[in-house]
Amino acid sequence: MQDAHGDLGTVLRAWRDRLSPLDVGFPAGDSRRAAGLRREELAALAGLSVDYIVRLEQGRARRPSEQVASALARALQLTDAERDHLFTLAGLLPPSPHEVPAHIPPGVQRLVARLGEIPVAVFTASWDLLSWSPLWVALLGEPVRPASGRPNLLRAHFGNLSLGAGGGRIIRRSGSVDAFGASLVADLRRVAGRYPDDRRVRALVQELLSTSEEFRALWESGIVGEHQSESKVVSNELVGDIELDCDVFSVAGTDLRIVAYTAAAASEAAAKIEFLRVAAPAAVVR
């Protein structure tokens, strides 16, 4: 009988071979011997080492962690069914429908990869940061990864931390900072009600209740709502202050949030964003 885990390397290679570089924001180029992604490109997209990708594909590594499996599923732009199959082959339980979805559908992945002129990122319903474009990094800095888990907007806001290291910071909003925090808490309470069995959401709430008096007061007020879009002024170390519209779009069926910063064409802010796009080092959507 064939070892089920032995199929893991086979399907990873097949999924890598079928994924067009253009769909992840890489140039196709004329020197490619195959149409799919190279191992080093998949490694960069998933935040893994090339050696680990090789060992997975050769069957010398068969038990990736849940975090690694999720990163591979996003990088390979798998469907929900393919993601679940990957988890099964890795000896993991597929994500439960009672948990906040953290898998980005292929169409959303392609959308983010092709919006090269817009700082854009994808968050879960509970505001874990999942994916971001190179221009997002140029505007706001490289997202700071915690020791475990994912960067989270509420944890950053109520901990007086930044989601990004270097780059830029938000210095002004169309609404007040207090209103922004209240909107996030109201949104999280709505999500917690929708996903009462999600352990990450429960842990986030308990953490913030114990570390932030402001969060605790807002949470205990019982406010429920949906986080709204607003305009913001970002202070960037390269181009100075930029006033941008920050819009939040929900992905039907997944509760994912796409956050995009935009400026009117031919405006001063648009010129500054274009400068960041040209000046920023080459990077990939993560």
Side-chain angles (χ1 to χ4, degrees), residues 175-241:
S176 68
V177 175
D178 290 343
F180 178 75
S183 177
L184 285 178
V185 175
D187 193 274
L188 182 62
R189 181 176 284 281
R190 181 180 63 85
V191 171
R194 184 164 182 169
Y195 299 95
D197 298 326
D198 190 292
R199 65 187 189 281
R200 289 189 178 91
V201 173
R202 293 199 305 268
L204 176 63
V205 171
Q206 291 304 314
E207 175 190 335
L208 293 174
L209 284 172
S210 65
T211 58
S212 170
E213 293 183 6
E214 178 188 2
F215 176 88
R216 184 165 57 251
L218 289 168
W219 186 261
E220 291 175 351
S221 73
I223 56 174
V224 181
E226 187 171 7
H227 185 56
Q228 301 297 314
S229 303
E230 63 178 2
S231 61
K232 300 178 181 180
V233 176
V234 177
S235 178
N236 182 275
E237 59 187 15
L238 283 181
V239 297
D241 295 352

Side-chain angles (χ1 to χ4, degrees), residues 3-9 12 48 52 55-70 72 86-93:
D3 180 1
H5 299 297
D7 290 337
L8 178 60
L12 287 176
L48 304 171
Y52 188 61
R55 287 190 289 119
L56 282 171
E57 291 190 351
Q58 292 180 347
R60 292 185 289 120
R62 300 185 177 190
R63 294 281 187 173
S65 67
E66 179 181 344
Q67 183 176 356
V68 168
S70 296
L72 286 169
L86 169 60
F87 271 63
T88 299
L89 291 179
L92 300 167
L93 289 176

Side-chain angles (χ1 to χ4, degrees), residues 3-4 38 43 59 61 73 103 131 154 165 168 182 184 191 216-217 249 265 277 285:
D3 180 1
R38 299 185 176 105
H103 182 61
S131 179
L154 282 108
L184 285 178
V191 171
R216 184 165 57 251
F249 306 93
R277 186 186 69 81
V285 173

